[in-house]
Amino acid sequence: MSLLDLDEALLTLVARADLVYSPLVDQTAFPEDVDVTLVEGAVSSQDDLKKLQTVRGRTRILVALGDCAVTSNVPSMRNTIPVARLLESIYGGPGEEPDSPRMAAPSTGVPALLPAARPLHDFVEVEVHLPGCPPSPKAILEVLSSCLTGRAPRLAGVKFG
């Protein structure tokens, strides 16, 4: 939402950049040779890790967008709970029927969880860390503008989240 809150500044960005991949765009594979990618959220599952590694391999500048991507923030609250116990508490427990929807297992579509939710930089190189929950539109604009012009972001004095 903070990206959309750029309002008319979005028009300036759209004139200089193309949106080539997003959960909101009907694109199934991450493209090659991307200049800048914004990644939000912590790495919590094998699926997250695989996608992050693909993105990293195809992106020149990777931006960790928001506190969850930068520090693993809220998702890391599950890190003290063993994965098996976490899955049991969410998808079912003793006494439930094996075919109950709550007994869904990783083989039925639930991604295999990593032992802990961790920030992006624990797995791949990140060029820009943009904290905030969420980052302010002004900070996002500064990062995107700087990435598109080849200069380092000037975030001193920018209010975060």
Side-chain angles (χ1 to χ4, degrees):
M1 290 307 299
S2 289
L3 183 63
L4 295 177
D5 285 342
L6 291 174
D7 298 324
E8 65 276 354
L10 274 174
L11 299 174
T12 304
L13 289 174
V14 169
R16 296 175 15 207
D18 295 319
L19 180 63
V20 297
Y21 184 86
S22 165
L24 304 175
V25 175
D26 191 23
Q27 177 76 17
T28 58
F30 193 84
E32 300 281 344
D33 300 321
V34 175
D35 291 322
V36 179
T37 301
L38 306 175
V39 177
E40 62 179 355
V43 181
S44 298
S45 70
Q46 290 291 337
D47 288 359
D48 294 343
L49 180 56
K50 183 178 178 185
K51 185 177 280 188
L52 178 63
Q53 290 169 332
T54 298
V55 167
R56 173 69 280 176
R58 298 178 182 183
T59 299
R60 190 170 55 84
I61 299 171
L62 182 67
V63 178
L65 180 68
D67 287 346
C68 292
V70 173
T71 67
S72 74
N73 201 5
V74 172
S76 70
M77 292 171 68
R78 70 130 168 127
N79 291 353
T80 61
I81 305 168
V83 171
R85 196 170 92 206
L86 180 69
L87 290 172
E88 182 178 292
S89 70
I90 294 169
Y91 294 104
E96 294 213 28
E97 295 298 318
D99 58 349
S100 165
R102 285 181 38 90
M103 290 297 291
S107 63
T108 62
V110 177
L113 294 179
L114 297 173
R118 296 179 18 216
L120 306 184
H121 65 265
D122 278 2
F123 299 97
V124 298
E125 182 178 353
V126 173
E127 281 75 29
V128 180
H129 292 84
L130 183 54
C133 185
S136 70
K138 183 177 179 181
I140 294 170
L141 180 61
E142 172 58 24
V143 165
L144 289 175
S145 297
S146 67
C147 289
L148 292 171
T149 59
R151 65 173 171 76
R154 293 185 289 258
L155 295 172
V158 173
K159 183 179 178 185
F160 294 100

